[in-house]
Amino acid sequence: MILVTGGAGFIGANFVLDWLATRDEPVLNLDKLTYAGNLENLASVQADERYVFVQGDIADTPLVMQLLDQHKPRAIVNFAAESHVDRSILGPEDFIQTNIVGTFRLLDAARKYWGGLSTNEQAAFRFLHVSTDEVYGSLSASDPAFTENHRYEPNSPYSASKAASDHLVRAYHHTYGLPVLTTNCSNNYGPHHFPEKLIPLMIVNALAGKPLPVYGNGMQVRDWLYVRDHCSAIRRVLDGGRLGEVYNVGGWNEKPNIDIVHTVCALLDELRPRSDGKSYREQVKFVADRPGHDQRYAIDASKMERELGWKPAETFATGIRKTVQWYLDNPGWVANVQSGAYSKWVQTNYTSRP
Ligand code: NAD
Ligand code: DAU
């Protein structure tokens, strides 16, 4: 079996669902169930005998050692993290704890477990660390896209904590020979995306008749990838990636934030028109910028294509349409994730942005 950490979050849940739909191999999902972890994402596989869920922290070494010894996974895929930049600005501590200390403890438990495997099992074992393009910092409009050799220049507490975790993963390969792989991916979007992030926030706010808060001038650029394409890239790296290597994953799809918001509005105008006949664009509101806001991210994913034959299957037009439709089809999921602590977060982040 494989051990997935953070499998109840946005990308992890999509990965578990796709894995069980395409492979026979069982999955053990270790997730702390923070505000971002949601077992409803995995309701369709809850009764699948190939799926095991354990609530717990990647920083809990005795628990992780016990799970490794009991289930003997042949790979670990590490999604578990604090993932939201705005939360890292308002409260960095959890990011240091999970992204740095947690990744360190998970790596160290993996190293001990791996050291006790047979030679053949050791050769087959993989530790795949899921990371982000934000570790490379920010690009100007004319800079080439990030390659795997771009220097690390993280600018937020989130990206700094992910950069630190990437360095630890690299060091565990270099020093101890742990068979690691790292992926650095651009912005994902798709089903089960928690509505603290740009695209799902715009969809749920638009439908609720609320303002669509665009930071600064809305001209920051992100490279968007449909989440299931990210999942297929991770499977490809797990299957064929070269040990110790880093793979950049992206959608070849750079867009300014304001274009993303307008696209979401246009799709909603078509699929769920406002009752007053006006466009959802009327709800756009420019608000105070994110401190230290990175201007542009862009991924050069040619190594993935050259070495592993991977390319995204979705275009932005197809992926964003599927995404908007998913939110329209799942009002119950939206209502459940917006209860409780979510409204407190919205108040904290947006009342300070006149
Ligand atoms: P998410 O915030 O939606 O989910 C994170 C999951 O990790 C949640 O289920 C949470 O409960 C769990 N978790 C948090 N702390 C934990 C801990 N200490 N122990 C165990 N579980 C814990 O995040 P996401 O958007 O799905 O991102 C997953 C990974 O992919 C992260 O490592 C992130 O840095 C990386 N990534 C995300 C994106 C993106 O666009 N969302 C892009 C590139 C890379
Ligand atoms: O690039 C990969 C990263 O993408 C991942 O590592 C992170 O985990 C993920 O959260 C994402 O980070 P971003 O900061 O790029 O994503 P977010 O959806 O928060 O913001 C996207 C852009 O939209 C960014 O320029 C800020 C802007 N934005 C965001 C929100 C939440 C707004 O204009 N308004 C908003 O309300």
Side-chain angles (χ1 to χ4, degrees):
M1 68 149 50
I2 62 163
L3 167 59
V4 166
T5 71
F10 164 48
I11 306 173
N14 277 286
F15 182 84
V16 170
L17 295 174
D18 281 2
W19 183 272
L20 292 172
T22 55
R23 310 249 166 145
D24 286 332
E25 196 174 10
V27 179
L28 168 62
N29 175 14
L30 171 65
D31 195 298
K32 188 177 174 182
L33 297 183
T34 67
Y35 78 91
N38 182 358
L39 289 182
E40 206 179 328
N41 293 341
L42 295 159
S44 63
V45 294
Q46 203 183 353
D48 190 319
E49 58 189 19
R50 297 168 303 155
Y51 173 67
V52 180
F53 174 73
V54 173
Q55 181 171 4
D57 192 328
I58 55 167
D60 181 346
T61 302
L63 172 66
V64 173
M65 283 309 308
Q66 180 242 304
L67 291 173
L68 293 174
D69 289 339
Q70 182 187 345
H71 294 278
K72 307 213 173 313
R74 60 112 186 152
I76 297 174
V77 184
N78 183 31
F79 292 97
E82 290 293 335
S83 70
H84 191 31
V85 174
D86 292 322
R87 287 187 192 253
S88 84
I89 294 167
L90 291 170
E93 182 83 33
D94 288 347
F95 290 73
I96 307 308
Q97 196 53 42
T98 283
N99 300 1
I100 305 179
V101 177
T103 303
F104 155 69
R105 296 219 178 118
L106 184 67
L107 272 170
D108 211 48
R111 174 176 73 88
K112 287 177 187 135
Y113 163 71
W114 175 74
L117 296 177
S118 69
T119 309
N120 284 349
E121 288 168 335
Q122 279 194 350
F125 186 77
R126 297 289 181 271
F127 184 106
L128 192 154
H129 180 59
V130 180
S131 193
T132 169
D133 60 0
E134 300 202 11
V135 297
Y136 300 124
S138 184
L139 296 169
S140 72
S142 57
D143 285 335
F146 301 128
T147 67
E148 289 78 1
N149 298 321
H150 201 280
R151 80 177 212 195
Y152 270 42
E153 230 165 24
N155 288 321
S156 71
Y158 163 68
S159 53
S161 68
K162 290 295 291 188
S165 68
D166 293 7
H167 292 326
L168 285 165
V169 171
R170 177 190 158 87
Y172 267 65
H173 177 67
H174 191 80
T175 305
Y176 305 111
L178 190 70
V180 306
L181 299 154
T182 300
T183 55
N184 291 85
C185 188
S186 62
N187 286 61
N188 286 214
Y189 68 99
H192 306 285
H193 204 182
F194 192 72
E196 63 183 357
K197 309 282 169 65
L198 180 73
I199 288 179
L201 182 83
M202 294 300 144
I203 300 171
V204 305
N205 275 17
L207 292 171
K210 294 181 180 164
L212 308 180
V214 175
Y215 296 167
N217 62 7
M219 290 311 291
Q220 297 79 17
V221 172
R222 299 291 182 266
D223 171 359
W224 294 93
L225 178 70
Y226 191 62
V227 63
R228 296 186 66 178
D229 279 328
H230 187 187
C231 295
S232 74
I234 292 170
R235 293 196 299 274
R236 198 66 65 86
V237 173
L238 195 58
D239 291 344
R242 286 186 292 129
L243 294 187
E245 288 289 313
V246 172
Y247 293 89
N248 281 0
V249 182
W252 301 104
N253 177 51
E254 287 182 58
K255 296 210 183 292
N257 294 336
I258 192 68
D259 286 11
I260 297 288
V261 176
H262 286 163
T263 302
V264 167
C265 290
L267 280 165
L268 287 172
D269 288 340
E270 175 197 329
L271 299 169
R272 182 71 55 84
R274 269 173 45 156
S275 54
D276 62 4
K278 292 184 178 163
S279 169
Y280 287 96
R281 272 198 195 207
E282 304 252 331
Q283 290 164 232
V284 170
K285 186 179 172 215
F286 289 91
V287 299
D289 209 348
R290 172 184 280 176
H293 201 167
D294 283 339
Q295 178 57 33
R296 174 179 167 237
Y297 306 140
I299 279 280
D300 178 342
S302 47
K303 183 176 175 183
M304 280 294 297
E305 185 170 351
R306 200 174 54 246
E307 290 195 9
L308 298 172
W310 175 89
K311 274 197 296 194
E314 297 289 342
T315 63
F316 189 67
T318 57
I320 193 69
R321 181 173 284 276
K322 282 183 188 171
T323 303
V324 170
Q325 191 63 56
W326 187 87
Y327 282 85
L328 291 172
D329 292 343
N330 290 277
W333 184 92
V334 171
N336 287 346
V337 298
Q338 287 185 296
S339 61
Y342 178 77
S343 54
K344 189 158 173 272
W345 163 252
V346 169
Q347 220 179 0
T348 308
N349 192 41
Y350 293 98
T351 47
S352 60
R353 292 181 189 278

